[in-house]
Amino acid sequence: RKEVEQDPGPFNVPEGATVAFNCTYSNSASQSFFWYRQDCRKEPKLLMSVYSSGNEDGRFTAQLNRASQYISLLIRDSKLSDSATYLCVVNPPNAGNMLTFGGGTRLMVKP
Amino acid sequence: DGGITQSPKYLFRKEGQNVTLSCEQNLNHDAMYWYRQDPGQGLRLIYYSQIVNDFQKGDIAEGYSVSREKKESFPLTVTSAQKNPTAFYLCASSISAGLAGETQYFGPGTRLLVL
């Protein structure tokens, strides 16, 4: 089992749609969780951290479910500019600031 | 402008050749990292450094070497021992490597292709 698993997609959605991605992680003691966004042929950039209580940043909402070992990202009112690959990132226990990356979920928002 | 720079953007390697990828940061970060990304896959850690003159192997260090002589610089050498070097190489930095949850900031990456 991969340490961090994501559905690679692509998710093809129309503008204005709501879309959700899930990501599962294997180590129940993992400490920190993030969503990064990566545009085609560019570097990843931090989209948001994922807190135990969940967090929201504008149209983006991230949730953590420790019991089921998954995190989610919800995007409301999708824009064309949201088209990118979304990387689920986990900080394993006893690893300092080392990160484990999922393979990414590709989102394509169509007009 | 503060940030991380990588050069070159594209690099071509011939069989049996060593090549060096540059990574520089002016964020005054202690920790620096090198990752490799293959198509459709997640980033995999090659090497990391928590402080000047110190570095540790990551998950896929074989065929690679690094140095950390200055805080700002963390060059990666892809040696001839790396048999499948074609990939997108990303350098990152964070304030430290010891504390969980610190944001890692990435450079624009170098694409290495084998001729």
Side-chain angles (χ1 to χ4, degrees):
Chain A
R1 182 184 174 187
K2 287 183 182 177
E3 291 184 64
V4 180
E5 284 202 77
Q6 296 182 249
D7 182 340
F11 284 61
N12 294 298
V13 303
E15 262 188 297
T18 296
V19 62
F21 313 133
N22 280 346
C23 159
T24 58
Y25 59 95
S26 59
N27 193 322
S28 61
S30 295
Q31 304 178 72
S32 306
F33 308 88
F34 310 90
W35 284 102
Y36 275 73
R37 171 192 168 129
Q38 186 174 26
D39 291 300
C40 188
R41 305 179 78 80
K42 301 283 190 181
E43 73 273 24
K45 293 183 179 178
L46 180 66
L47 178 67
M48 59 199 308
S49 302
V50 187
Y51 304 120
S52 296
S53 55
N55 48 307
E56 187 174 312
D57 183 3
R59 297 181 294 107
F60 299 83
T61 301
Q63 298 276 358
L64 168 63
N65 185 319
R66 285 194 181 272
S68 301
Q69 293 176 219
Y70 76 84
I71 68 175
S72 64
L73 178 68
L74 181 77
I75 306 175
R76 289 181 298 276
D77 188 22
S78 299
K79 312 291 185 192
L80 295 176
S81 58
D82 294 333
S83 297
T85 296
Y86 291 84
L87 304 175
C88 174
V89 184
V90 175
N91 184 202
N94 305 315
N97 201 34
M98 299 305 110
L99 301 177
T100 301
F101 289 77
T105 296
R106 189 170 171 208
L107 171 66
M108 298 180 70
V109 182
K110 309 277 187 172
Chain B
D1 266 12
I4 304 175
T5 57
Q6 291 186 241
S7 63
K9 189 172 182 180
Y10 296 97
L11 186 58
F12 299 93
R13 193 191 93 163
K14 295 180 182 177
E15 291 287 338
Q17 187 181 37
N18 292 354
V19 291
T20 297
L21 285 60
S22 168
C23 177
E24 304 278 331
Q25 54 99 1
N26 61 4
L27 299 168
N28 200 33
H29 285 170
D30 282 326
M32 297 186 76
Y33 314 80
W34 272 106
Y35 294 92
R36 169 184 172 137
Q37 187 177 33
D38 293 282
Q41 295 193 34
L43 280 67
R44 292 182 290 167
L45 183 65
I46 304 172
Y47 268 98
Y48 67 98
S49 169
Q50 299 194 62
I51 201 165
V52 174
N53 293 323
D54 176 73
F55 49 82
Q56 307 294 331
K57 292 182 179 180
D59 301 320
I60 55 165
E62 187 174 347
Y64 300 97
S65 66
V66 293
S67 63
R68 187 87 186 275
E69 297 175 2
K70 297 187 299 182
K71 187 175 186 176
E72 305 79 28
S73 179
F74 191 40
L76 173 74
T77 296
V78 184
T79 74
S80 57
Q82 172 51 243
K83 297 306 178 189
N84 185 23
T86 296
F88 188 37
Y89 290 87
L90 289 155
C91 179
S93 72
S94 65
I95 293 172
S96 79
L99 297 175
E102 302 236 358
T103 301
Q104 290 189 18
Y105 298 90
F106 286 85
T110 293
R111 290 197 180 275
L112 177 60
L113 299 167
V114 177
L115 297 177

